[in-house]
Amino acid sequence: MTIRVMLVDDHNSMRAGLALVLASDPGIEVVDEAGSGPEAVARAVRSRPDLVLMDVEMPGGDGITATDALLRLVPETRVLILTMFDLDDYVADAMQAGACGFILKTADAEELIAAVHACAAGETVLATEVLHRVVTHFVQHHRDARRPGLERLTERELEVLVLMCRGQSNLEIAQQLVVEVATVKSHVAHVLHKLAARDRLQAVVYAYRAGLTDTCN
């Protein structure tokens, strides 16, 4: 199935470059573009893209506010934040607004395409440059959250969690463990269920809080 993507950035040249990169993957189709947050929300309601690549800082409306508004109106759409900034506040706010991931504009073509596929498949994607920072932010602001213990995980599930901590996608984990992607998805689902985590990010945060920091690095 083709992933229908909307590009949101206030620079025409940036959108053109992104479109060119994504066009190299036959499984991705750019179906719409917007130059501001409010325009993105309005156009997404009409075009219903599967995924939106959303810039953060734009004249006329920032990407975080747009993400929150867009997902309220088109909840089935996924939003991947794309920006030059790797500040903690941007990352935390983006995830709290409902974004499925955060990737820097400096990412190479292969990393960008992989992030689009991962987000569209329901995964949470965080660039390796910002993974530790966002986890640290959530750990500091959610110290009182109670979760079941890691002892509920099997040895394989714990291994998968460690690889999740390193920012690896399901495909990367499958390649490292030499198993099928479907098997990894099953392990991830079990990890989330046993840790009462809403998504991969919450599971990673719990792993850090539970003392797996050294293992995950």
Side-chain angles (χ1 to χ4, degrees), residues 191-207:
V191 169
L192 299 186
H193 175 72
K194 291 181 179 180
L195 297 183
R198 182 185 67 244
D199 52 33
R200 296 168 74 99
L201 179 58
Q202 282 195 349
V204 170
V205 168
Y206 179 78

Side-chain angles (χ1 to χ4, degrees), residues 60-191:
D62 68 274
I64 306 300
T65 301
T67 295
D68 182 68
L70 190 156
L71 292 179
R72 292 177 188 276
L73 295 172
V74 195
E76 67 274 15
T77 295
R78 306 276 287 171
V79 177
L80 176 60
I81 299 296
L82 180 68
T83 181
M84 288 296 296
F85 303 92
D86 63 348
L87 301 178
D88 295 342
D89 288 344
Y90 282 120
V91 181
D93 290 347
M95 303 307 292
Q96 290 173 354
C100 66
F102 190 101
I103 188 168
L104 302 183
K105 288 183 177 178
T106 52
D108 59 28
E110 183 178 356
E111 185 179 358
L112 176 61
I113 289 173
V116 168
H117 278 282
C119 268
E123 297 184 33
T124 300
V125 176
L126 288 174
T128 54
E129 297 90 339
V130 297
L131 177 60
H132 178 71
R133 297 179 67 175
V134 70
V135 168
T136 299
H137 174 91
F138 275 87
V139 168
Q140 292 174 344
H141 290 78
H142 299 274
R143 292 185 181 277
D144 296 329
R146 295 183 177 181
R147 299 287 183 193
L150 294 177
E151 67 276 2
R152 299 186 61 187
L153 302 183
T154 65
E155 183 176 348
R156 176 61 90 181
E157 290 165 356
L158 188 60
E159 188 175 9
V160 168
L161 177 57
V162 168
L163 296 178
M164 289 164 58
C165 288
R166 294 174 182 166
Q168 294 191 14
S169 67
N170 286 347
L171 177 59
E172 291 170 329
I173 294 173
Q175 291 172 339
Q176 180 158 339
L177 299 182
V178 194
V179 298
E180 297 293 329
V181 173
T183 301
V184 175
K185 289 182 178 180
S186 178
H187 288 316
V188 171
H190 291 155
V191 169

